[in-house]
Amino acid sequence: MKTIKSMLNHLYWADGRILDALEASDTKDKELLKLVRHIAVAERVWLSRLQGQGSAQYSLWEDTEELAAIQQMFEENAEQYRIYIEGLEESELDKMIDYASQSGVPFRTSVRDILLQVLLHGQYHRGQINRALRMDSAEPAPVDYITFARL
């Protein structure tokens, strides 16, 4: 549980860093903004599933130009994940969660695997964003876990 909590703390930090990099770049690249919004919405989708709620109301791929709205979503996600994790016993990590994908396909996945999905999914897309920032001669955000761990 200690590792998952530490990795979630990294996620909150990395979400903030990537938003800062996008804001500093003053990018108007709608695909990058769509991608960072996708990260925030996916975090929320998985949290809803962990909480036993549906997630059909969330659209994973929408255009946006509002970094402030995404930042607010990241902050709300972090607050809700903290509450969820604090109430979670280590023995519950192997509990199976029944849910439907965004397209309605039923699945059953452990809490542990869902949390790992959230952690890895965001890092994958932050890497894509950083690559695009570099290609646009903007400063990427160092979001590696080791950078966070050294703080």
PDB file of all heavy atoms in Angstrom, residues 86-100:
ATOM      1  N   GLU A  86      -7.267   6.537   1.662  1.00  0.00           N
ATOM      2  CA  GLU A  86      -7.210   6.541   3.127  1.00  0.00           C
ATOM      3  C   GLU A  86      -8.231   5.581   3.726  1.00  0.00           C
ATOM      4  O   GLU A  86      -8.021   5.032   4.799  1.00  0.00           O
ATOM      5  CB  GLU A  86      -7.388   7.959   3.683  1.00  0.00           C
ATOM      6  CG  GLU A  86      -6.181   8.834   3.460  1.00  0.00           C
ATOM      7  CD  GLU A  86      -4.859   8.209   3.923  1.00  0.00           C
ATOM      8  OE1 GLU A  86      -4.791   7.678   5.054  1.00  0.00           O
ATOM      9  OE2 GLU A  86      -3.887   8.256   3.135  1.00  0.00           O
ATOM     10  N   GLY A  87      -9.328   5.362   3.052  1.00  0.00           N
ATOM     11  CA  GLY A  87     -10.350   4.433   3.534  1.00  0.00           C
ATOM     12  C   GLY A  87     -10.162   3.008   3.057  1.00  0.00           C
ATOM     13  O   GLY A  87     -10.958   2.135   3.389  1.00  0.00           O
ATOM     14  N   LEU A  88      -9.096   2.761   2.294  1.00  0.00           N
ATOM     15  CA  LEU A  88      -8.869   1.448   1.700  1.00  0.00           C
ATOM     16  C   LEU A  88      -7.881   0.636   2.544  1.00  0.00           C
ATOM     17  O   LEU A  88      -6.803   1.117   2.877  1.00  0.00           O
ATOM     18  CB  LEU A  88      -8.300   1.631   0.277  1.00  0.00           C
ATOM     19  CG  LEU A  88      -8.170   0.389  -0.584  1.00  0.00           C
ATOM     20  CD1 LEU A  88      -9.541  -0.172  -0.945  1.00  0.00           C
ATOM     21  CD2 LEU A  88      -7.381   0.734  -1.853  1.00  0.00           C
ATOM     22  N   GLU A  89      -8.267  -0.575   2.885  1.00  0.00           N
ATOM     23  CA  GLU A  89      -7.368  -1.485   3.586  1.00  0.00           C
ATOM     24  C   GLU A  89      -6.546  -2.255   2.552  1.00  0.00           C
ATOM     25  O   GLU A  89      -7.029  -2.521   1.443  1.00  0.00           O
ATOM     26  CB  GLU A  89      -8.176  -2.482   4.429  1.00  0.00           C
ATOM     27  CG  GLU A  89      -9.001  -1.848   5.517  1.00  0.00           C
ATOM     28  CD  GLU A  89      -8.157  -1.211   6.611  1.00  0.00           C
ATOM     29  OE1 GLU A  89      -7.059  -1.733   6.895  1.00  0.00           O
ATOM     30  OE2 GLU A  89      -8.603  -0.189   7.165  1.00  0.00           O
ATOM     31  N   GLU A  90      -5.334  -2.624   2.913  1.00  0.00           N
ATOM     32  CA  GLU A  90      -4.478  -3.358   1.985  1.00  0.00           C
ATOM     33  C   GLU A  90      -5.147  -4.650   1.503  1.00  0.00           C
ATOM     34  O   GLU A  90      -5.009  -5.043   0.347  1.00  0.00           O
ATOM     35  CB  GLU A  90      -3.118  -3.663   2.607  1.00  0.00           C
ATOM     36  CG  GLU A  90      -2.154  -4.236   1.607  1.00  0.00           C
ATOM     37  CD  GLU A  90      -0.704  -4.041   1.993  1.00  0.00           C
ATOM     38  OE1 GLU A  90      -0.419  -3.416   3.021  1.00  0.00           O
ATOM     39  OE2 GLU A  90       0.138  -4.531   1.228  1.00  0.00           O
ATOM     40  N   SER A  91      -5.908  -5.272   2.377  1.00  0.00           N
ATOM     41  CA  SER A  91      -6.597  -6.514   2.009  1.00  0.00           C
ATOM     42  C   SER A  91      -7.652  -6.290   0.918  1.00  0.00           C
ATOM     43  O   SER A  91      -8.063  -7.240   0.255  1.00  0.00           O
ATOM     44  CB  SER A  91      -7.249  -7.132   3.240  1.00  0.00           C
ATOM     45  OG  SER A  91      -8.221  -6.252   3.779  1.00  0.00           O
ATOM     46  N   GLU A  92      -8.078  -5.056   0.722  1.00  0.00           N
ATOM     47  CA  GLU A  92      -9.090  -4.754  -0.291  1.00  0.00           C
ATOM     48  C   GLU A  92      -8.504  -4.549  -1.686  1.00  0.00           C
ATOM     49  O   GLU A  92      -9.251  -4.425  -2.659  1.00  0.00           O
ATOM     50  CB  GLU A  92      -9.870  -3.497   0.105  1.00  0.00           C
ATOM     51  CG  GLU A  92     -10.697  -3.684   1.368  1.00  0.00           C
ATOM     52  CD  GLU A  92     -11.335  -2.393   1.813  1.00  0.00           C
ATOM     53  OE1 GLU A  92     -10.600  -1.479   2.235  1.00  0.00           O
ATOM     54  OE2 GLU A  92     -12.580  -2.309   1.723  1.00  0.00           O
ATOM     55  N   LEU A  93      -7.182  -4.529  -1.802  1.00  0.00           N
ATOM     56  CA  LEU A  93      -6.554  -4.319  -3.108  1.00  0.00           C
ATOM     57  C   LEU A  93      -6.896  -5.435  -4.097  1.00  0.00           C
ATOM     58  O   LEU A  93      -6.914  -5.203  -5.306  1.00  0.00           O
ATOM     59  CB  LEU A  93      -5.037  -4.202  -2.973  1.00  0.00           C
ATOM     60  CG  LEU A  93      -4.528  -2.911  -2.344  1.00  0.00           C
ATOM     61  CD1 LEU A  93      -3.020  -2.994  -2.092  1.00  0.00           C
ATOM     62  CD2 LEU A  93      -4.862  -1.714  -3.214  1.00  0.00           C
ATOM     63  N   ASP A  94      -7.171  -6.624  -3.593  1.00  0.00           N
ATOM     64  CA  ASP A  94      -7.501  -7.741  -4.476  1.00  0.00           C
ATOM     65  C   ASP A  94      -9.011  -7.921  -4.687  1.00  0.00           C
ATOM     66  O   ASP A  94      -9.433  -8.841  -5.379  1.00  0.00           O
ATOM     67  CB  ASP A  94      -6.877  -9.034  -3.952  1.00  0.00           C
ATOM     68  CG  ASP A  94      -5.358  -8.973  -4.017  1.00  0.00           C
ATOM     69  OD1 ASP A  94      -4.824  -8.477  -5.034  1.00  0.00           O
ATOM     70  OD2 ASP A  94      -4.699  -9.408  -3.056  1.00  0.00           O
ATOM     71  N   LYS A  95      -9.801  -7.021  -4.100  1.00  0.00           N
ATOM     72  CA  LYS A  95     -11.254  -7.051  -4.301  1.00  0.00           C
ATOM     73  C   LYS A  95     -11.536  -6.804  -5.781  1.00  0.00           C
ATOM     74  O   LYS A  95     -10.934  -5.948  -6.426  1.00  0.00           O
ATOM     75  CB  LYS A  95     -11.917  -5.968  -3.453  1.00  0.00           C
ATOM     76  CG  LYS A  95     -13.401  -5.857  -3.648  1.00  0.00           C
ATOM     77  CD  LYS A  95     -13.961  -4.694  -2.830  1.00  0.00           C
ATOM     78  CE  LYS A  95     -15.421  -4.487  -3.200  1.00  0.00           C
ATOM     79  NZ  LYS A  95     -15.943  -3.255  -2.641  1.00  0.00           N
ATOM     80  N   MET A  96     -12.481  -7.551  -6.313  1.00  0.00           N
ATOM     81  CA  MET A  96     -12.849  -7.408  -7.723  1.00  0.00           C
ATOM     82  C   MET A  96     -13.964  -6.379  -7.879  1.00  0.00           C
ATOM     83  O   MET A  96     -14.926  -6.359  -7.093  1.00  0.00           O
ATOM     84  CB  MET A  96     -13.280  -8.755  -8.296  1.00  0.00           C
ATOM     85  CG  MET A  96     -12.179  -9.821  -8.249  1.00  0.00           C
ATOM     86  SD  MET A  96     -10.644  -9.334  -9.080  1.00  0.00           S
ATOM     87  CE  MET A  96     -11.154  -9.518 -10.786  1.00  0.00           C
ATOM     88  N   ILE A  97     -13.820  -5.548  -8.883  1.00  0.00           N
ATOM     89  CA  ILE A  97     -14.789  -4.498  -9.180  1.00  0.00           C
ATOM     90  C   ILE A  97     -15.460  -4.833 -10.506  1.00  0.00           C
ATOM     91  O   ILE A  97     -14.785  -5.067 -11.510  1.00  0.00           O
ATOM     92  CB  ILE A  97     -14.092  -3.117  -9.294  1.00  0.00           C
ATOM     93  CG1 ILE A  97     -13.318  -2.771  -8.019  1.00  0.00           C
ATOM     94  CG2 ILE A  97     -15.081  -2.026  -9.691  1.00  0.00           C
ATOM     95  CD1 ILE A  97     -14.167  -2.456  -6.830  1.00  0.00           C
ATOM     96  N   ASP A  98     -16.769  -4.857 -10.513  1.00  0.00           N
ATOM     97  CA  ASP A  98     -17.539  -5.044 -11.751  1.00  0.00           C
ATOM     98  C   ASP A  98     -17.911  -3.665 -12.283  1.00  0.00           C
ATOM     99  O   ASP A  98     -18.395  -2.812 -11.524  1.00  0.00           O
ATOM    100  CB  ASP A  98     -18.817  -5.842 -11.475  1.00  0.00           C
ATOM    101  CG  ASP A  98     -18.515  -7.274 -11.077  1.00  0.00           C
ATOM    102  OD1 ASP A  98     -17.807  -7.960 -11.836  1.00  0.00           O
ATOM    103  OD2 ASP A  98     -18.987  -7.696  -9.996  1.00  0.00           O
ATOM    104  N   TYR A  99     -17.686  -3.452 -13.558  1.00  0.00           N
ATOM    105  CA  TYR A  99     -17.986  -2.167 -14.177  1.00  0.00           C
ATOM    106  C   TYR A  99     -18.169  -2.372 -15.676  1.00  0.00           C
ATOM    107  O   TYR A  99     -17.879  -3.439 -16.205  1.00  0.00           O
ATOM    108  CB  TYR A  99     -16.860  -1.153 -13.917  1.00  0.00           C
ATOM    109  CG  TYR A  99     -15.531  -1.587 -14.498  1.00  0.00           C
ATOM    110  CD1 TYR A  99     -15.129  -1.161 -15.761  1.00  0.00           C
ATOM    111  CD2 TYR A  99     -14.689  -2.444 -13.794  1.00  0.00           C
ATOM    112  CE1 TYR A  99     -13.921  -1.580 -16.307  1.00  0.00           C
ATOM    113  CE2 TYR A  99     -13.492  -2.858 -14.337  1.00  0.00           C
ATOM    114  CZ  TYR A  99     -13.101  -2.421 -15.590  1.00  0.00           C
ATOM    115  OH  TYR A  99     -11.920  -2.844 -16.124  1.00  0.00           O
ATOM    116  N   ALA A 100     -18.627  -1.328 -16.333  1.00  0.00           N
ATOM    117  CA  ALA A 100     -18.761  -1.350 -17.797  1.00  0.00           C
ATOM    118  C   ALA A 100     -17.808  -0.313 -18.377  1.00  0.00           C
ATOM    119  O   ALA A 100     -17.632   0.771 -17.807  1.00  0.00           O
ATOM    120  CB  ALA A 100     -20.188  -1.027 -18.207  1.00  0.00           C
TER     121      ALA A 100
END
